[in-house]
Amino acid sequence: MKASKGTSTLHGYVIERPGLIAQFFITLLVRHLIPAVFGLLRRIAPVFRFPFTNTVIVTSFDHVQEVSSRQNDFPVPYQKQVDLLGWKPSFLLAMKDTPDYWKTLEQVKKMWADDDLVFVRQIAKEVSEEALNRSGGKIDAIQQLMVPVTEAVIERYYGVPIPAEKRAAFFDATMHVAGFLFGSQNLTDKSIATAQGAAKLVFSVIDDAISAARQKPLPENTVIGRCHAQDITDDQHLRSYLMGMIMGYLPTNTLANGHALDIILNNQDAYKYGQTAATETNYDLVLKVVHEALRISYILPGLWRTTPQETELGIGSAKTYKVEKGRMIYISAMAAMMDKRRIKSPNTFDPYRSRDVYMIYGYQFHYCVGAAIADVMMQEIFMAVLKRQPKANGKMVFNGNFPWSLEVSYAPGDAS
Ligand code: HEM
C-alpha cells in the first residue's frame, strides 16, 4: 500500500485522503516549516501571539510545562467537539479539573489490572513476530505491522472486534475523529459532518461489541469482560471509555510508531543504539531508543489549551507574559523537547537522558493514562523489527499528518 490517496465509504461516511500535491504541502508544513518556525520562536519569542489571530504559541520547555500543570488557568477546549460528536458522558481529555474528571479517571483505571500489561505484551509480540515471519523480508511497517498490532490489542484485550469489511474505514475514521478533536480548532459545517459520520462508525463497532458481550460474556482478561463481570460501570459509560481508549490509541500509536521508526532507520546513532538493544534483547534500552526518537521527531506540533480569564505566564521567572482572556493556547511539546535551555545538545541522539526531558505522554494534568500500555507495545514491535536488521526502502508516505506507509526490508526468518 504505497499511496495514501483515496477514499473510504461506509454507512454514508466518506473520507477523502489528500492527493499527492495536497499531501506534499501538508508534509512540508508539518515536518519542516512548523518545526523550523517554532524553533525560531522558542529562541526569540517563547510565548507568541500569532498576528491577526486569537492563537498564542508556546514553545519553550518551561512555559509548556507551566501551561500543562496550571489546568485551571489553561483548561482544554475540546468539549465543544465532544458534544458535536454526541460523545456522552465526556472524554477525560475534554474534561476540566472537576470531581467528575477524577471520578472518571478512577473508573477508567478500575477497568485495568496490573496483569493487563503482560497480556498486551503477549499480543504485541505474537502479532509482530507473525507479521514479520510471514512477510519474508519485506513489509510495509505501518500497514502490515504497526496497525495490525494495535488493532489486535483493541480486539483481544479491549474485547472490541473490528469486522474485516469495516477495518479500513474504521482506521480512517479514528484518524479523522482525532484530527477533528485535536487539530485545527476552526470547525466548519463540512468538518463537523464528516467527523460526526466517522464517530458514528467507531461507536457502532463499540456498541456491537458491548451488546455481543451481553449475549455471550467475554473473559475477564478483556476490558469489556471485566467491566461486565465486576459491574464496574454501566454500558453508556463503558462505551465512552472505550471510545477514549480507541481514540487515544489507534491514531496516536500509528503516529508514534511511524515517527520513531523513521528516526531509528535514518539516524545512524539511533540505529546503532537500536541494534545494541536488539542484540542484547534489552527491552529497557529499546524503550529508551523509541522515546528518544519521539523526542527528536514528536508526533504533533502541539496541543490546545484556552484561557477562561486573563492570566500571566512565566510566573516566578525573570520575564512574565500577559495572556488575555479567551485566547487559544497552542503548547508545543515538539519544540519544548528540543529546547537547549533544558536539553543538552538536543539534536544529538542520546537514549540515556534524564527521564525529566520527555513530554511524549504529556505533563502532569491529563498525563496519558495509556502510557504503560503504549510502552509495552512499542517495546515488542521495535524489538521484533530491530532484531531483523531493518533497512528503509524509500521514504515514509503520509496521510495528512499520519504516517501511512513505510516499506522496510529485513533479514527474514524467526528472530524471536
Ligand atoms: C504512543 C502512544 C501514545 C501517545 C504518544 C500518547 C500521548 C498522549 C498525550 C500527549 C496526552 C496528553 C494530551 C494533553 O495534555 O493535551 C495523552 C492523554 C491521554 N491518552 Fe495517550 N498516548 C498514547 C497512547 C495511549 C493509549 C494506549 C491510551 C489508552 C489505552 C491513551 C489514552 C489517553 C487518554 C484517555 C488521555 C487523557 C488523559 C486525561 O485527560 O487525564 N493513550 N496521551
Side-chain angles (χ1 to χ4, degrees):
M1 191 172 330
K2 255 279 170 244
S4 67
K5 191 175 185 312
T7 58
S8 294
T9 311
L10 202 82
H11 298 320
Y13 152 66
V14 180
I15 185 163
E16 282 177 25
R17 296 195 281 274
L20 286 179
I21 296 174
Q23 185 59 58
F24 172 80
F25 284 108
I26 296 171
T27 306
L28 185 71
L29 182 72
V30 177
R31 302 265 291 171
H32 302 285
L33 291 179
I34 293 180
V37 172
F38 282 18
L40 189 68
L41 287 178
R42 187 181 57 227
R43 279 205 296 281
I44 59 174
V47 178
F48 176 73
R49 160 106 186 269
F50 204 78
F52 312 112
T53 72
N54 194 28
T55 301
V56 176
I57 300 170
V58 179
T59 46
S60 79
F61 191 89
D62 289 353
H63 292 115
V64 167
Q65 289 205 333
E66 186 181 348
V67 173
S68 306
S69 55
R70 287 174 53 200
Q71 66 269 18
N72 293 319
D73 297 325
F74 299 98
V76 284
Y78 311 123
Q79 188 59 46
K80 143 179 108 255
Q81 288 96 314
V82 167
D83 288 340
L84 284 164
L85 299 179
W87 184 345
K88 266 194 201 134
S90 187
F91 174 38
L92 271 175
L93 191 41
M95 293 167 86
K96 304 200 162 93
D97 185 356
T98 58
D100 207 24
Y101 169 86
W102 293 104
K103 200 173 143 213
T104 305
L105 186 61
E106 198 188 306
Q107 252 188 5
V108 168
K109 287 188 174 165
K110 253 197 213 158
M111 300 198 312
W112 301 346
D114 289 346
D115 281 358
D116 291 0
L117 293 182
V118 178
F119 188 34
V120 172
R121 184 182 286 288
Q122 183 196 325
I123 299 169
K125 187 177 173 78
E126 205 178 293
V127 179
S128 303
E129 291 294 339
E130 206 267 322
L132 289 160
N133 287 341
R134 180 170 21 103
S135 297
K138 203 187 267 187
I139 196 166
D140 177 345
I142 311 286
Q143 296 292 339
Q144 293 176 307
L145 176 65
M146 289 156 173
V147 174
V149 172
T150 316
E151 287 175 343
V153 172
I154 291 174
E155 299 194 327
R156 288 157 61 182
Y157 165 53
Y158 292 8
V160 178
I162 309 164
E165 72 282 6
K166 291 189 183 177
R167 201 162 279 264
F170 182 86
F171 179 53
D172 263 352
T174 60
M175 287 193 292
H176 199 80
V177 173
F180 177 70
L181 288 168
F182 310 122
S184 164
Q185 300 292 298
N186 291 326
L187 311 181
T188 62
D189 288 348
K190 189 173 173 214
S191 73
I192 294 169
T194 320
Q196 285 172 334
K200 204 165 143 196
L201 167 61
V202 182
F203 272 130
S204 77
V205 172
I206 296 172
D207 290 339
D208 289 350
I210 294 176
S211 55
R214 284 283 175 212
Q215 305 296 317
K216 189 168 177 270
L218 289 175
E220 275 197 53
N221 64 354
T222 63
V223 173
I224 296 184
R226 182 177 304 137
C227 193
H228 281 174
Q230 298 178 13
D231 207 10
I232 294 171
T233 189
D234 58 50
D235 284 350
Q236 183 66 25
H237 282 80
L238 174 59
R239 148 189 222 268
S240 166
Y241 301 159
L242 286 168
M243 183 71 163
M245 285 172 62
I246 290 171
M247 286 336 303
Y249 189 30
L250 185 48
T252 332
N253 231 55
T254 310
L255 274 167
N257 287 324
H259 278 255
L261 186 63
D262 201 26
I263 290 289
I264 292 169
L265 294 182
N266 291 302
N267 174 312
Q268 277 186 359
D269 292 330
Y271 193 80
K272 201 181 72 200
Y273 282 114
Q275 283 308 301
T276 306
T279 313
E280 296 171 356
T281 316
N282 183 339
Y283 280 96
D284 186 45
L285 181 56
V286 160
L287 191 59
K288 286 188 163 81
V289 169
V290 172
H291 284 187
E292 177 69 355
L294 288 173
R295 183 188 67 76
I296 288 184
S297 176
Y298 193 51
I299 60 172
L300 295 165
L303 293 160
W304 293 100
R305 298 294 190 265
T306 53
T307 46
Q309 301 300 331
E310 181 183 302
T311 185
E312 272 190 343
L313 252 182
I315 291 174
S317 70
K319 185 165 166 67
T320 56
Y321 298 85
K322 187 168 121 183
V323 188
E324 280 90 4
K325 177 179 171 172
R327 294 276 182 248
M328 295 299 292
I329 315 295
Y330 197 56
I331 44 171
S332 178
M334 176 192 80
M337 288 191 287
M338 298 297 280
D339 189 343
K340 275 194 184 127
R341 285 166 288 213
R342 288 286 173 262
I343 292 115
K344 199 174 153 210
S345 311
N347 290 308
T348 303
F349 190 97
D350 175 6
Y352 294 107
R353 292 176 188 278
S354 152
R355 295 293 89 199
D356 296 346
V357 306
Y358 296 97
M359 285 189 261
I360 291 158
Y361 292 116
Y363 182 71
Q364 295 199 352
F365 195 72
H366 288 307
Y367 186 82
C368 178
V369 283
I373 296 175
D375 277 351
V376 294
M377 226 190 95
M378 294 194 296
Q379 278 182 323
E380 291 300 340
I381 293 178
F382 282 89
M383 184 61 86
V385 175
L386 287 166
K387 275 189 177 283
R388 290 169 168 86
Q389 293 111 35
K391 300 263 172 301
N393 295 344
K395 291 194 164 180
M396 190 150 73
V397 176
F398 284 84
N399 171 15
N401 182 34
F402 288 90
W404 181 259
S405 163
L406 178 60
E407 197 182 278
V408 171
S409 330
Y410 56 93
D414 193 341
S416 56

